[in-house]
């Protein structure tokens, strides 16, 4: 994938090559969950997509940035979310919903290209289905975390502040 420039991007330049013995430079699971939830939230909200991505509002990244947050550190583009049940995902149903969303979004990304304009995603015939799948996963995860799934997505700056202050919940 070619990385587009974004004013505030969550994209990082490398991936870990391990999972079991996670290097200290990789993000802990609770940050992974926050990034996955953030991406799903943006991908699941057509009003946000119109008013923020299509309008070019800074501070939220773009569609490709959301896809990177969804799959980059978790490698959900290479294996099932089921692998993370008990860490990033609470149960198999949550993982299954995330897998469906990832597959639908990645299919579109591969068809339109990582550098495609927002309109290429939003006008793609499969986009409504991808939005529905992301919405299903987002609602399940937000509800499980005790949050309102209908609040507007947070900016990348707020996400960064939140993930720096997050503590794992037992």
């Amino acid at each position: 994938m070619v990385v587009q420039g974004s004013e505030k991007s969550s994209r990082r330049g490398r991936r870990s090559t391990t999972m079991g013995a996670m290097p200290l430079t990789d993000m802990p699971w609770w940050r992974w969950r926050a990034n996955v939830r953030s991406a799903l939230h943006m991908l699941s909200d057509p009003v946000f997509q119109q008013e923020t991505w299509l309008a070019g509002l800074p501070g939220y990244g773009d569609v490709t940035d959301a896809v990177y947050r969804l799959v980059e550190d978790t490698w959900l583009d290479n294996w099932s979310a089921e692998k993370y049940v008990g860490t990033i995902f609470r149960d198999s149903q949550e993982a299954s919903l995330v897998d469906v969303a990832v597959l639908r979004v990645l299919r579109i990304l591969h068809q339109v290209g990582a550098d495609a304009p927002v309109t290429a995603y939003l006008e793609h015939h499969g986009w409504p289905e991808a939005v529905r799948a992301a919405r299903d996963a987002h609602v399940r995860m937000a509800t499980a975390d005790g949050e309102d799934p209908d609040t507007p997505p947070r900016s990348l700056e707020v996400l960064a502040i939140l993930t720096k202050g997050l503590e794992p919940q037992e």
Side-chain angles (χ1 to χ4, degrees):
M1 292 183 156
V2 176
V3 177
Q4 292 175 299
S6 272
E7 180 179 313
K8 278 280 192 178
S9 176
S10 63
R11 297 176 204 153
R12 288 160 296 282
R14 65 158 204 64
R15 288 182 165 189
S16 168
T17 56
T18 65
M19 181 182 157
M22 185 172 27
L24 295 176
T25 57
D26 278 1
M27 290 195 302
W29 66 266
W30 44 273
R31 286 191 182 150
W32 286 358
R33 183 172 177 90
N35 279 329
V36 167
R37 281 197 48 209
S38 169
L40 288 169
H41 197 169
M42 291 180 185
L43 293 165
S44 73
D45 187 339
V47 172
F48 167 84
Q49 295 164 14
Q50 291 289 320
E51 294 178 356
T52 305
W53 285 341
L54 199 56
L57 189 66
Y60 292 88
D62 56 23
V63 180
T64 306
D65 184 67
V67 174
Y68 272 83
R69 261 182 290 118
L70 183 60
V71 301
E72 182 180 29
D73 293 302
T74 58
W75 284 43
L76 292 175
D77 51 341
N78 290 306
W79 53 56
S80 172
E82 186 70 30
K83 188 173 194 114
Y84 296 112
V85 169
T87 54
I88 300 173
F89 306 110
R90 296 179 187 273
D91 56 35
S92 291
Q93 184 181 8
E94 197 174 84
S96 177
L97 291 169
V98 170
D99 279 340
V100 171
V102 166
L103 291 174
R104 290 204 168 85
V105 169
L106 286 177
R107 182 180 311 133
I108 295 167
L109 175 88
H110 292 287
Q111 289 175 2
V112 302
D115 287 329
V118 173
T119 55
Y121 289 88
L122 302 185
E123 294 172 357
H124 189 277
H125 68 277
W127 192 248
E129 186 180 321
V131 168
R132 267 191 306 280
R135 173 76 181 166
D136 290 345
H138 163 66
V139 167
R140 172 82 180 192
M141 292 180 76
T143 303
D145 291 347
E147 294 185 16
D148 179 1
D150 294 321
T151 60
R154 296 176 176 125
S155 70
L156 296 179
E157 182 178 8
V158 170
L159 177 64
I161 292 166
L162 290 173
T163 56
K164 285 181 183 148
L166 280 176
E167 294 299 323
Q169 297 176 356
E170 301 298 323

